[in-house]
Amino acid sequence: MGKKGLRGPPPGYVSAINYQPYIYADWQAKVYGSGAGIVGRRRPPPLWARREQLAKQQNRCFYCGLAFGCWVVKRSRAIVLRVVWDHWVPFAYLQANPARNFVAACQICNGLKRSDMFETFEEAKRVIERRRARYPIRFLDGPGEWQPSPP
């Protein structure tokens, strides 16, 4: 653990790639390969990884389930939800950009997640839904407020 910023995940931490818990001490190298632990700059995932992740998520936000490209009103301002590539294990901890460490999130959820680490996907979604309740949004083409995606 000699490098600054690298530390093991919390107990029971689940991988964003294969939804399996990390069970080894050198989890970064085992999961992310040779790119793990290399200190660098924030970079988006490669094109193949972006396409794969968007297909896996059905072109929806990982945390709230809203479709990318839909128009919503937030604080009386119309905005379009766009794709922001979020590090599942935050860059602040990993200090690397392995291709399999990204999820597609909308700009609202990405800002609400910050650099928090979560043990499970359900915990991440629950925390972000709770934070998002403070910032109500509604769809531009209809009444009502944002409803959390069904499980």
Side-chain angles (χ1 to χ4, degrees):
M1 295 246 196
K3 295 188 182 200
K4 184 178 180 181
L6 297 181
R7 66 179 203 198
Y13 192 75
V14 177
S15 165
I17 301 130
N18 55 13
Y19 306 102
Q20 297 297 315
Y22 294 120
I23 54 174
Y24 10 78
D26 56 343
W27 63 277
Q28 291 169 322
K30 298 252 186 194
V31 172
Y32 299 119
S34 62
I38 298 174
V39 177
R41 306 169 90 190
R42 290 178 193 260
R43 290 192 170 90
L47 184 59
W48 65 266
R50 285 183 261 171
R51 288 180 177 158
E52 186 179 292
Q53 191 65 30
L54 281 173
K56 185 178 175 182
Q57 293 178 214
Q58 300 173 351
N59 206 34
R60 295 183 171 276
C61 175
F62 181 75
Y63 302 108
C64 68
L66 293 177
F68 296 118
C70 71
W71 285 86
V72 296
V73 176
K74 179 185 175 196
R75 297 184 184 164
S76 29
R77 201 179 72 190
I79 60 171
V80 65
L81 294 181
R82 58 185 168 78
V83 177
V84 178
W85 293 100
D86 179 39
H87 291 82
W88 175 247
V89 176
F91 185 82
Y93 299 110
L94 193 58
Q95 295 293 309
N97 298 293
R100 302 266 186 210
N101 186 37
F102 290 91
V103 294
C106 67
Q107 68 269 34
I108 298 169
C109 291
N110 186 50
L112 294 173
K113 180 185 175 262
R114 303 183 297 235
S115 62
D116 296 340
M117 279 180 50
F118 301 101
E119 289 189 24
T120 64
F121 296 109
E122 292 76 26
E123 180 188 4
K125 290 178 183 180
R126 188 174 50 249
V127 168
I128 290 173
E129 281 179 7
R130 198 173 332 126
R131 290 177 184 167
R132 195 166 182 156
R134 291 182 257 162
Y135 304 96
I137 66 168
R138 57 186 172 82
F139 290 99
L140 191 59
D141 58 353
E145 298 209 349
W146 169 80
Q147 298 295 318
S149 58

